[in-house]
Amino acid sequence: MSDGAATARLAVDVLRTALHCPRRYEFAHVHGLDGGDDDSAVEDRVALLRSAICDALRSGETDRESLGDAARDRLATLWNDYDEPFHSVAQRRHERRVLEATLGAYLDRVGTDHAAGIERLDADAVGGELIGPELPVSSTIELPERNEGAEPALEAETEAEAVTIDATVDYVYGDGSSIVGVRFVPTLAPLGRVRYRSEWEGDVADLFTDHFDRDSDTFEPDPIGSLFETAVILDGLRDLRDRLELGDRTCRYVQIPLADRSGTSVNWVRDTVETSLEVVDLTDVYVDHHTYGMTHDHRNETVDDRLARVASGLISGPFDPSDRWDRIAEHACPTCDYTVCCQDYIAGEVRFDG
């Protein structure tokens, strides 16, 4: 890349939008139209827990009781100022108990280990923030050449020669010879089968390839977006590692769900809530061991190359979904808030047969 070359910027969440439908991306992120968000209350509750946990980790406490006290005190303060319009006092009380149960599950599952890992990593680092919430990380990718079999959308002119993709983790801790980025998410549902696989080869590689194959019926934007996010965050963690002078430690990426009710049980007689917490490490399912064997780095050339092509298409335009419109219309349109103004959807609805 030449000196002074222009660099565009994207957030990893907009890549997820574009994977569902390029036109949805255009409406939401180019024209700035608000499509609404039915999950805003869930996101807000996750934000409360995220802030409470990060503030507790920042206290420096590492034993279960002290860390738990700090987290519960912070959650109580945040909850007192939380103004979600619940339909009753009973519902508000119940939702608080669910948050407290989730917090307890986090502390029991990984909280003290992660707090100790932050302390160890901080002792080895030359300086810099390890705790968020929403600690920014990014990956800068050189855009592919236009004459290397690019898709039609990549033929458009753009002054940018690279794109920086932004993501976040909520904190970073040390685990042996690795540094681990942790991100709190509402649920693990977007991972799809990626959630249940431990390596790239096989199902995940086939899923990824088939999603972009125009002759395939596979349409799995959420797991693909998760793999893109993993690529960006691992690259961002490598940059953080180097800035903190942490040597040649490997980097890993973990997601922890804070609004997954599948493991929650409620005893309405005793008025108690219990829940469990699943932790998913996305590193191994992203790593292509063939690439690792050649580079000795935790990367995946297939995902990284496709990520560069998708990002290039977004900053170049146009945002034409027609090359795979049938799959998009079947899977994305039923839940899309932009169908009322989408020319592709309207044209499909009013077309005449024959």
Side-chain angles (χ1 to χ4, degrees), residues 62 107 109-118 120 173-174:
T62 57
L107 294 168
R109 180 77 169 80
V110 296
T112 55
D113 289 341
H114 288 191
I118 292 172
R120 290 193 299 269
Y173 75 96

Side-chain angles (χ1 to χ4, degrees), residues 185-316:
V185 296
T187 77
L188 299 173
L191 298 180
R193 76 177 67 170
V194 173
R195 174 180 180 178
Y196 306 104
R197 300 297 184 266
S198 59
E199 61 181 24
W200 163 259
E201 287 79 8
D203 282 356
V204 178
D206 292 342
L207 172 75
F208 188 88
T209 303
D210 289 346
H211 174 82
F212 292 104
D213 183 353
R214 296 176 186 176
D215 296 326
S216 170
D217 293 331
T218 301
F219 185 77
E220 296 284 351
D222 285 329
I224 304 305
S226 297
L227 290 167
F228 280 173
E229 178 183 297
T230 302
V232 170
I233 287 178
L234 288 176
D235 200 35
L237 290 174
R238 284 188 282 266
D239 180 64
L240 178 65
R241 172 199 62 192
D242 295 342
R243 286 189 282 110
L244 299 182
E245 298 182 12
L246 290 169
D248 59 354
R249 303 187 194 205
T250 58
C251 298
R252 305 191 70 83
Y253 173 47
V254 165
Q255 286 188 359
I256 301 177
L258 297 181
D260 188 344
R261 301 293 177 92
S262 61
T264 300
S265 61
V266 181
N267 186 321
W268 297 106
V269 176
R270 297 184 178 181
D271 202 16
T272 59
V273 178
E274 295 182 355
T275 191
S276 59
L277 204 64
E278 182 179 358
V279 178
V280 172
D281 189 328
L282 293 172
T283 313
D284 291 333
V285 75
Y286 158 79
V287 174
D288 180 352
H289 291 290
H290 177 69
T291 302
Y292 179 77
M294 295 188 297
T295 65
H296 301 291
D297 205 349
H298 287 62
R299 296 181 186 269
N300 185 314
E301 290 183 355
T302 303
V303 175
D304 295 350
D305 290 347
R306 177 59 69 169
L307 173 60
R309 295 177 66 185
V310 170
S312 180
L314 292 183
I315 65 173
S316 303

